[in-house]
Amino acid sequence: MNSKINILCTSNLIPESGFDILLSVYIKIIKEFPLANLVIASDGPMFDSISRLIKEKEISANVQLYKEFVSKDWARVLLSLSDLYINVEANTVSNNIDRMALKSNAKIICSHRNKEFVQHLNDNIYLVDPSDSSDVEDKLLQVLKLIIGNG
């Protein structure tokens, strides 16, 4: 795929959210799909370490990191510009952004534990289990390549 794809991720920046895994996979993705753009709009104890990792891996041209959502309106704008929404937190509770993502045109990658997404399962929703660390990186990479490759 030679066109730009926008990916939005809003999970909390905590170790359980798997942002280290997401960035590791994303580095592989941009080698194959250099126009893939990742927006992380989140906050949490890992914000500074994720920010440093983005700089260390020299991917800041493709990754924008925002400390938090300012409003639902901003979330709505970001979702409207996104081709793909990722929330792989291993929680069962959806948030307002998850519900907005369901109403958007974005494809969704989420945890199989997120009841809101599982309840609305369709061809635009891809499930990944972040707690299964043995192969979550490979699964996430395969799903991203499938989605981005099919544009």
Side-chain angles (χ1 to χ4, degrees):
M1 172 180 224
N2 292 326
S3 59
K4 186 171 186 168
I5 184 164
N6 292 305
I7 303 166
L8 174 63
C9 190
T10 62
S11 301
N12 291 323
L13 291 172
I14 56 176
E16 298 81 22
S17 292
F19 272 94
D20 53 338
I21 294 170
L22 175 62
L23 288 176
S24 175
V25 168
Y26 186 71
I27 289 166
K28 295 173 186 173
I29 287 293
I30 58 176
K31 288 179 182 173
E32 193 170 332
F33 304 99
L35 296 178
N37 183 55
L38 176 63
V39 173
I40 300 171
S42 194
D43 195 8
M46 291 183 63
F47 185 86
D48 291 336
S49 63
I50 294 296
S51 181
R52 277 192 304 276
L53 186 60
I54 290 168
K55 289 175 185 146
E56 287 170 12
K57 299 296 183 182
E58 299 177 353
I59 56 173
S60 55
N62 293 77
V63 180
Q64 291 75 54
L65 179 62
Y66 298 101
K67 188 128 182 150
E68 60 189 48
F69 277 123
V70 178
S71 68
K72 285 184 185 178
D73 290 335
W74 191 44
R76 215 172 268 113
V77 167
L78 285 174
L79 277 166
S80 72
L81 299 172
S82 298
D83 303 294
L84 174 61
Y85 172 71
I86 300 177
N87 184 346
V88 291
E89 259 185 270
N91 63 14
T92 58
V93 180
S94 292
N95 57 39
N96 288 330
I97 301 161
D98 292 345
R99 287 187 280 282
M100 282 189 259
L102 282 168
K103 294 176 183 174
S104 75
N105 292 325
K107 295 193 181 299
I108 298 169
I109 297 177
C110 62
S111 165
H112 73 288
R113 294 182 185 171
N114 186 311
K115 292 176 184 172
E116 185 85 28
F117 288 133
V118 172
Q119 182 179 353
H120 293 92
L121 206 56
N122 61 43
D123 290 343
N124 286 331
I125 299 176
Y126 300 80
L127 302 179
V128 175
D129 182 2
S131 63
D132 182 10
S133 59
S134 61
D135 63 350
V136 71
E137 190 170 326
D138 289 337
K139 285 181 183 175
L140 186 56
L141 182 62
Q142 288 172 358
V143 170
L144 278 168
K145 282 185 173 184
L146 174 74
I147 293 170
I148 295 170
N150 289 332

